[in-house]
């Protein structure tokens, strides 16, 4: 899928839409999810133009990959999640119900999070 420069996270990165920043470095931005599913729900995104984990894993630089992983740790530390635990989730594509076509890692925590997937 081609990258859409008007997706909502691209607009957040350009400062066209406000976000509640949790952490930022040269390669990543972390901000509060607008519709939190847990007491802590933060999105961690690369600043590069990646639709999903698929093209990120294929084409991102090692520095971008390391930064995304370290940003998750930063968020967990800032939000005090390391001791009790947290969940990191990335939806990719239709079966995963990815809504925003810019790679984002959800970081959830702040309460017991239940089973990993709903049984249907
Ligand atoms: P996904 O279904 O994995 O693509 O998740 C998209 C996430 O983006 C959802 O959890 C939304 O609540 C969140 N979201 C959508 N728009 C915004 C926004 N403007 N600021 C913060 N989070 C947003």
């Amino acid at each position: 899928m081609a990258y859409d420069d008007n997706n909502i996270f691209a607009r957040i990165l350009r400062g066209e839409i406000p976000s509640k920043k949790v952490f930022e470095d040269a390669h990543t931005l972390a901000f509060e999810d607008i519709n939190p599913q847990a007491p802590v729900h933060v999105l961690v995104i690369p600043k590069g133009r990646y639709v999903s984990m698929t093209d990120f894993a294929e084409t991102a630089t090692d520095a971008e990959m390391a930064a995304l992983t370290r940003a998750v740790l930063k968020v967990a530390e800032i939000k005090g999640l390391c001791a009790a635990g947290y969940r990191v989730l990335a939806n990719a594509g239709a079966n995963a119900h990815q809504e925003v076509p810019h790679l984002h890692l959800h970081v959830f925590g702040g309460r017991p999070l239940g089973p990993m997937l709903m049984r249907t």
Side-chain angles (χ1 to χ4, degrees), residues 8-9 12 17-19 31-37 41 43 89-91 96-101 104 106:
I8 198 146
F9 294 167
I12 284 175
I17 291 177
S19 66
F31 53 96
E32 305 282 355
D33 194 290
I34 204 167
N35 183 24
Q37 306 294 311
H41 185 174
L43 301 174
L89 181 150
N91 292 317
H97 291 202
Q98 181 181 1
E99 290 172 6
V100 179
H104 47 285
H106 298 257

Side-chain angles (χ1 to χ4, degrees), residues 5-111:
D5 281 302
N6 284 319
N7 79 74
I8 198 146
F9 294 167
R11 298 185 67 197
I12 284 175
L13 284 167
R14 290 197 297 269
E16 297 169 4
I17 291 177
S19 66
K20 289 188 184 165
K21 182 164 69 174
V22 175
F23 173 77
E24 181 173 15
D25 69 11
H27 295 296
T28 64
L29 177 68
F31 53 96
E32 305 282 355
D33 194 290
I34 204 167
N35 183 24
Q37 306 294 311
V40 175
H41 185 174
V42 174
L43 301 174
V44 182
I45 68 173
K47 291 183 174 177
R49 299 165 75 254
Y50 300 104
V51 174
S52 73
M53 186 59 78
T54 305
D55 55 330
F56 186 75
E58 282 173 353
T59 62
T61 66
D62 290 356
E64 288 174 311
M65 291 187 185
L68 196 72
T69 305
R70 295 235 159 78
V72 170
L73 173 60
K74 281 287 182 193
V75 168
E77 288 174 345
I78 289 165
K79 294 293 186 178
L81 303 180
C82 293
Y86 57 97
R87 180 171 294 158
V88 182
L89 181 150
N91 292 317
N95 272 6
H97 291 202
Q98 181 181 1
E99 290 172 6
V100 179
H102 181 117
L103 171 62
H104 47 285
L105 305 184
H106 298 257
V107 180
F108 300 106
R111 64 164 167 79

